[in-house]
Amino acid sequence: METLLVVIGVIGNIISVLMFASPIKTFWRIVKNKSTEDFEPTPYVVTLLGSCLWVYYGLTKPDGLLVATVNAVGIFLEAIYVLLFLFFSSSPSIRMKTIFLVIILDIFFFGLVFSTTQFLMDGSLRLTIVGIICTCLNVLMYGSPLIIMKTVINTKSVEYMPFFLSFFLFLNGGVWTLYAMLDHDIYLTIPNGMGCILGTIQLMLYMIYMNPKTKVAKQSGEEGWQQHQSLLIDPNESIERDQEQG
């Protein structure tokens, strides 16, 4: 059973790394044009926070190394994305917004969670609190594709819901759900199970509304990924779209 768990975890790591690397095309465009244009920093700052929290969770949990390693890669890539936003901000306001979000979320909030759980809680309670926070954040991130699905239903077109994004959402959620169930980890099971279900629904919508005559816009992959990651600081508010205009 332990060997099977490791194999599934490694497969999950590979798929998750591919998802973390998905915005590379977007940032190559930003570097090439030396401007962030209309892209928003929020998704990348929030994903950086999520990766930090999951690394902390993986290091806190016994045998949580595979959770920590993949999210360590996430920290590395998301930090690069955020730095590129700072270097190539299209306006001073975007640069200030990025700095503000980094300070509030990635430094202050993560520092608060780390210091509070590390110094005021014991091992089991610490793991529970960190797990709940990670789960809530991931549920919101996995819920963001609802925006894409609404657009598909309203327009009866999958132009802005790339197949591979939906496929990897389904695959990533399914693999990590299987890993979490075998490891009896409720904090991994809930958000990834939700991701698997949403990915399945997206694939079904893709089959229903797929139109081979529709020319898919070049930016569809970028917009799909941004919608998948997008979150606002207030988790109860609408998700802010990170997209390239027309």
Side-chain angles (χ1 to χ4, degrees):
M1 180 64 71
E2 290 185 3
T3 302
L4 178 61
L5 197 63
V6 171
V7 171
I8 294 173
V10 170
I11 295 173
N13 270 240
I14 294 171
I15 297 171
S16 295
V17 167
L18 291 174
M19 292 192 69
F20 279 128
S22 295
I24 287 178
K25 183 179 179 180
T26 298
F27 282 91
W28 175 248
R29 178 188 181 92
I30 289 174
V31 172
K32 189 176 180 180
N33 295 335
K34 296 182 179 180
S35 172
T36 55
E37 301 173 8
D38 293 320
F39 291 108
E40 281 289 331
T42 307
Y44 308 103
V45 175
V46 174
T47 304
L48 177 58
L49 170 63
S51 296
C52 290
L53 288 170
W54 279 114
V55 166
Y56 181 37
Y57 176 84
L59 294 176
T60 302
K61 177 187 175 181
D63 302 322
L65 182 61
L66 288 172
V67 176
T69 53
V70 67
N71 284 284
V73 175
I75 290 176
F76 175 74
L77 291 175
E78 298 299 329
I80 292 176
Y81 301 153
V82 172
L83 286 173
L84 289 175
F85 253 97
L86 292 175
F87 283 124
F88 298 108
S89 295
S90 56
S91 67
S93 61
I94 293 295
R95 181 175 288 107
M96 291 305 299
K97 179 179 181 179
T98 304
I99 294 173
F100 176 77
L101 290 175
V102 169
I103 292 174
I104 295 298
L105 295 178
D106 298 330
I107 297 177
F108 178 75
F109 182 76
F110 176 74
L112 180 64
V113 172
F114 178 82
S115 58
T116 301
T117 56
Q118 189 68 31
F119 301 113
L120 299 181
M121 301 177 187
D122 60 21
S124 59
L125 180 59
R126 181 188 307 140
L127 187 65
T128 298
I129 296 301
V130 176
I132 290 174
I133 294 172
C134 289
T135 299
C136 291
L137 186 61
N138 259 40
V139 164
L140 291 170
M141 291 178 70
Y142 269 137
S144 62
L146 291 172
I147 293 177
I148 308 175
M149 289 188 277
K150 181 180 178 181
T151 301
V152 170
I153 294 173
N154 289 339
T155 63
K156 301 185 184 307
S157 171
V158 295
E159 183 176 4
Y160 294 104
M161 190 178 72
F163 172 78
F164 284 107
L165 176 66
S166 302
F167 177 72
F168 278 112
L169 175 63
F170 161 76
L171 202 59
N172 187 69
V175 170
W176 280 110
T177 299
L178 179 59
Y179 175 90
M181 292 178 67
L182 292 175
D183 196 38
H184 307 289
D185 190 328
I186 187 66
Y187 306 116
L188 282 172
T189 302
I190 293 175
N192 287 292
M194 186 176 185
C196 183
I197 293 172
L198 289 173
T200 302
I201 296 174
Q202 284 192 20
L203 290 176
M204 292 173 63
L205 288 176
Y206 195 93
M207 289 168 40
I208 294 172
Y209 294 110
M210 180 175 58
N211 183 0
K213 295 182 180 180
T214 300
K215 182 179 180 181
V216 178
K218 292 182 180 179
Q219 70 271 27
S220 61
E222 299 167 359
E223 292 186 357
W225 168 259
Q226 291 150 11
Q227 290 174 4
H228 167 64
Q229 285 192 323
S230 293
L231 284 169
L232 290 177
I233 297 176
D234 183 352
N236 293 316
E237 293 182 3
S238 298
I239 296 167
E240 186 175 336
R241 296 185 64 185
D242 171 17
Q243 64 178 0
E244 176 186 2
Q245 297 294 331

